[in-house]
């Protein structure tokens, strides 16, 4: 099924092709001589069925393609394009980052994760609650039973240790990502 879906990109056609191949393989026939495994023979039947379907597709035109835009297409187009056919502001494609920038980001987050995991549990937990879960200081203090002053000290220690760890692991500037 997976192979048929990959080739046809249509679940229903793929199911039909697999069913046809299995039906053909189950029919009494002199074609299977036993020179290959039965599975290989069935797969060869499926491959031929897929080729037949793809050839037939090229010779026919889907009726829905002739009808023009469907309601779903026009709604989709209105979200992406204005009346002049230009991108709307919210849908305008953004430039992709350069591969070296993506690699640097990935490496940074791996370093950061290692440094965060190296923090003492109490400091790491406060930092994660503040910076990753975006909780307010008051919420953190309430959750952990801390005083606001103590929470601020733990956050300072976490940031200082993270900065030190990242510097020790080779992160040099804040401008690492262009």
């Amino acid at each position: 099924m997976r192979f048929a879906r990959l080739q046809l990109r249509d679940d229903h056609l793929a199911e039909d092709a697999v069913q046809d191949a299995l039906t053909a393989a189950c029919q009494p026939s002199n074609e299977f001589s036993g020179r290959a495994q039965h599975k290989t023979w069935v797969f060869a039947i499926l491959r031929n069925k897929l080729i037949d379907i793809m050839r037939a597709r090229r010779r026919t035109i889907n009726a829905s393609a002739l009808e023009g835009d469907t309601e779903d297409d026009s709604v989709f187009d209105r979200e992406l394009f204005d009346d002049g056919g230009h991108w709307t502001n919210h849908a305008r494609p953004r430039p992709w980052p350069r591969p070296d920038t993506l690699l640097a980001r990935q490496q940074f987050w791996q370093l950061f994760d290692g440094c965060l995991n190296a923090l003492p549990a109490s400091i790491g937990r406060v930092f994660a609650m503040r910076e990753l879960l975006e909780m307010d200081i008051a919420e953190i203090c309430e959750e952990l039973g801390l005083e606001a002053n103590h929470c601020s000290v733990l956050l300072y220690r976490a940031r200082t240790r993270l900065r030190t760890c990242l510097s020790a692991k080779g992160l040099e500037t804040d401008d690492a990502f262009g």
Side-chain angles (χ1 to χ4, degrees):
M1 274 302 295
R2 229 177 334 185
F3 180 73
R5 283 186 187 130
L6 178 66
Q7 298 303 316
L8 299 176
R9 301 198 189 304
D10 181 321
D11 289 346
H12 299 294
L13 279 177
E15 288 174 10
D16 289 346
V18 169
Q19 184 176 7
D20 290 348
L22 290 173
T23 302
C26 291
Q27 299 294 326
S29 169
N30 294 336
E31 290 181 35
F32 182 65
S33 62
R35 289 181 293 178
Q37 291 185 7
H38 194 263
K39 178 180 175 182
T40 306
W41 183 64
V42 173
F43 192 79
I45 295 172
L46 174 62
R47 186 179 58 82
N48 291 331
K49 296 276 182 197
L50 295 176
I51 290 169
D52 291 344
I53 290 170
M54 287 187 264
R55 284 180 183 154
R57 251 197 218 166
R58 277 185 273 168
R59 290 189 303 258
T60 60
I61 297 174
N62 191 348
S64 63
L66 299 174
E67 294 173 3
D69 288 345
T70 63
E71 181 62 29
D72 290 341
D73 289 341
S74 61
V75 169
F76 181 70
D77 287 345
R78 279 181 278 167
E79 291 176 10
L80 297 177
F81 305 104
D82 63 16
D83 292 334
H86 300 286
W87 289 103
T88 57
N89 287 335
H90 72 279
R92 181 171 283 118
R94 294 175 303 219
W96 288 3
R98 294 180 18 215
D100 57 333
T101 303
L102 290 175
L103 179 61
R105 284 184 188 160
Q106 181 183 14
Q107 290 170 340
F108 167 78
W109 287 113
Q110 289 172 346
L111 287 174
F112 180 82
D113 190 47
C115 290
L116 183 61
N117 289 330
L119 291 176
S122 60
I123 294 174
R125 185 171 185 203
V126 170
F127 180 82
M129 292 172 86
R130 176 72 180 130
E131 301 300 332
L132 303 178
L133 299 177
E134 299 178 349
M135 294 174 71
D136 293 330
I137 300 272
E139 292 175 302
I140 297 169
C141 290
E142 184 179 329
E143 179 71 26
L144 300 178
L146 300 173
E147 295 292 323
N149 240 6
H150 185 62
C151 187
S152 295
V153 168
L154 292 175
L155 284 169
Y156 174 78
R157 288 179 183 164
R159 290 179 182 127
T160 302
R161 288 182 181 190
L162 285 170
R163 185 180 308 117
T164 303
C165 178
L166 289 169
S167 294
K169 299 229 184 236
L171 188 67
E172 296 174 9
T173 66
D174 293 337
D175 200 31
F177 303 117

